[in-house]
Amino acid sequence: MNQRPFVLGAAVLAVVVLVCGGMVGLPLLLFGQAEAEAAACEVPSAPGASPVPGVGKWGSVETTNAATIVAVGRQREVPPRGYVIALATAMQESKLLNLANARVPESLALPHEGVGRDHDSVGLFQQRPGWGSIRERMTPTYAAAKFYEALARVDGWQRMRLTDAAQAVQRSSFPEEYQKWEGDAEQLAARVLGLPSIDDIGGGAPTAPCGIDDLGPVPVGPGGWVQPVRAAIVSPFGPRGGRLHAGVDMSTTDVRGDPIRAAATGVVEQVTCDWYATCDRDGHTRSRGCGWYVDIRHAGNIVTRYCHMIQRPEVSIGQDVVAGQVIGFVGNSGGSSGPHLHFEVHVNVPPGRYKANSRNAVDPVAFMRRQGAPLGVST
């Protein structure tokens, strides 16, 4: 049996004990109801000691710094998604090393794990003088706490792409660079906590309070159909710009990250991102296509399509799904003017993938009304 996750989780607890023992003197930040629920998810831990062993390409020094970042987040009751954002930021800024700066002589006399030359930035998050003294910024617990403090002031950060949330704090000249570390940050956060996946405590993007299973069931209409999202129709089915808008766009305030549910029981027929579209980043009106999308084939040769998901969907081709099952999350990928679900219904669709098209598309509003699951927030 592999004991490594247990050891890593134990080491994080040791760091938590140090942090909670007074190394961070900043006041505890208050988060909203959803964040509080996420922070309350159970995280297994056990007594142990540090430093933390290395994980994958990250050595013991880097992993110990990662454990400190996570521990500070736990001490401040930050939702687990915050750990991932903080780790990805430190990966991009310093490769998880507490850096001095050749241009800041005082920093070279303090404990450090490497030397950078970026302006007057120091530490794990490459924070500049406005974040604190040189000594403070080169104290990992302080630097992490200041990052979380700034993140908490970013309205809606848990529903943002990782790179957008990180950029709102860091204001980097390279705002998209944080996104490439998301997978690494999720894996490292899980490993230092001794978890199989950070999704188990709602740390993935976007989050359920304690993982996707916590989203729970929803009422299904008498015909076996359910709304894919509870949102208003902001753009109807019909002609648009000389071509058919083959579905309806559904959106509402703060819809980014809301769960998208299978409209009825069926088999997943397509899971992909259009090759010519933006995928793991926000799209725009100059782009084309659905971005990340899912097709589901239902009884009677009916196919439903769900477009513009925020990330790779939660289902795979050939998977059986039931009505109301979460298949992905609302995003803005592809040819999109803002976060929304583009929902299509196709009837009399011949067998095989790629058979759902504008010729067999029908108005989802009328179709769903007939199924006893009318679309719209008022239902």
Side-chain angles (χ1 to χ4, degrees):
M1 179 178 177
N2 186 352
Q3 298 295 319
R4 193 176 186 85
F6 177 87
V7 172
L8 291 171
V12 170
L13 183 65
V15 176
V16 172
V17 171
L18 289 174
V19 170
C20 294
M23 292 180 68
V24 177
L26 298 176
L28 184 67
L29 296 174
L30 297 178
F31 290 82
Q33 179 63 32
E35 290 87 344
E37 290 175 357
C41 302
E42 292 185 8
V43 180
S45 58
S50 57
V52 181
V55 174
K57 64 183 178 183
W58 306 105
S60 178
V61 170
E62 294 92 334
T63 307
T64 300
N65 286 333
T68 298
I69 291 169
V70 171
V72 172
R74 292 187 65 191
Q75 186 267 337
R76 299 174 71 82
E77 298 186 8
V78 176
R81 177 63 177 164
Y83 313 161
V84 176
I85 296 170
L87 288 177
T89 301
M91 287 172 176
Q92 171 61 25
E93 296 291 353
S94 69
K95 300 299 188 289
L96 285 174
L97 296 174
N98 191 23
L99 298 180
N101 191 320
R103 299 175 178 176
V104 184
E106 183 183 341
S107 70
L108 300 171
L110 296 171
H112 58 276
E113 297 150 358
V115 179
R117 300 183 62 88
D118 183 15
H119 299 288
D120 47 10
S121 303
V122 297
L124 288 171
F125 294 90
Q126 290 292 277
Q127 291 161 336
R128 303 190 71 181
W131 292 83
S133 70
I134 295 170
R135 182 176 294 274
E136 286 173 330
R137 288 178 283 140
M138 290 185 65
T139 301
T141 50
Y142 176 93
K146 292 297 284 186
F147 178 87
Y148 288 127
E149 185 181 75
L151 182 65
R153 293 195 295 265
V154 177
D155 186 37
W157 65 268
Q158 281 190 267
R159 290 177 177 269
M160 293 180 178
R161 289 190 307 146
L162 181 147
T163 200
D164 295 334
Q167 173 65 2
V169 174
Q170 299 293 107
R171 303 190 183 281
S172 168
S173 299
F174 305 97
E176 284 294 328
E177 291 301 301
Y178 302 108
Q179 192 67 36
K180 67 186 180 185
W181 298 104
E182 184 167 31
D184 284 43
E186 288 180 348
Q187 293 172 18
L188 188 55
R191 291 300 299 273
V192 299
L193 287 168
L195 297 168
S197 170
I198 196 67
D199 289 336
D200 294 346
I201 56 169
T207 64
C210 294
I212 191 168
D213 292 340
D214 257 35
L215 288 166
V218 292
V220 178
W225 289 74
V226 63
Q227 289 188 64
V229 295
R230 190 173 180 82
I233 297 169
V234 296
S235 183
F237 176 91
R240 180 196 287 176
R243 57 184 301 180
L244 178 67
H245 185 235
V248 294
D249 293 344
M250 303 180 68
S251 186
T252 192
T253 303
D254 205 22
V255 74
R256 184 193 293 269
D258 280 0
I260 300 170
R261 300 177 182 273
T265 296
V267 179
V268 176
E269 191 166 77
Q270 182 69 280
V271 176
T272 191
C273 183
D274 296 319
W275 64 269
Y276 47 81
T278 56
C279 297
D280 293 313
R281 57 181 297 179
D282 281 359
H284 46 77
T285 55
R286 299 183 305 278
S287 183
R288 298 183 297 138
C290 266
W292 280 113
Y293 75 95
V294 169
D295 283 356
I296 300 175
R297 183 174 290 269
H298 312 279
N301 287 324
I302 297 168
V303 172
T304 53
R305 176 168 295 166
Y306 313 76
C307 298
H308 307 306
M309 293 187 183
I310 197 170
Q311 62 183 25
R312 179 178 291 278
E314 302 294 319
V315 291
S316 56
I317 293 174
Q319 179 178 339
D320 293 323
V321 294
V322 297
Q325 180 175 333
V326 175
I327 60 173
F329 297 91
V330 176
N332 191 29
S333 60
S336 176
S337 58
H340 70 280
L341 171 67
H342 174 85
F343 176 59
E344 298 181 7
V345 176
H346 300 260
V347 300
N348 301 319
V349 183
R353 294 163 63 188
Y354 307 110
K355 301 294 186 178
N357 53 51
S358 60
R359 292 188 297 275
N360 47 43
V362 297
D363 186 347
V365 173
F367 178 89
M368 294 295 285
R369 187 184 299 117
R370 291 195 297 271
Q371 311 311 315
L375 302 176
V377 293
S378 62
T379 60

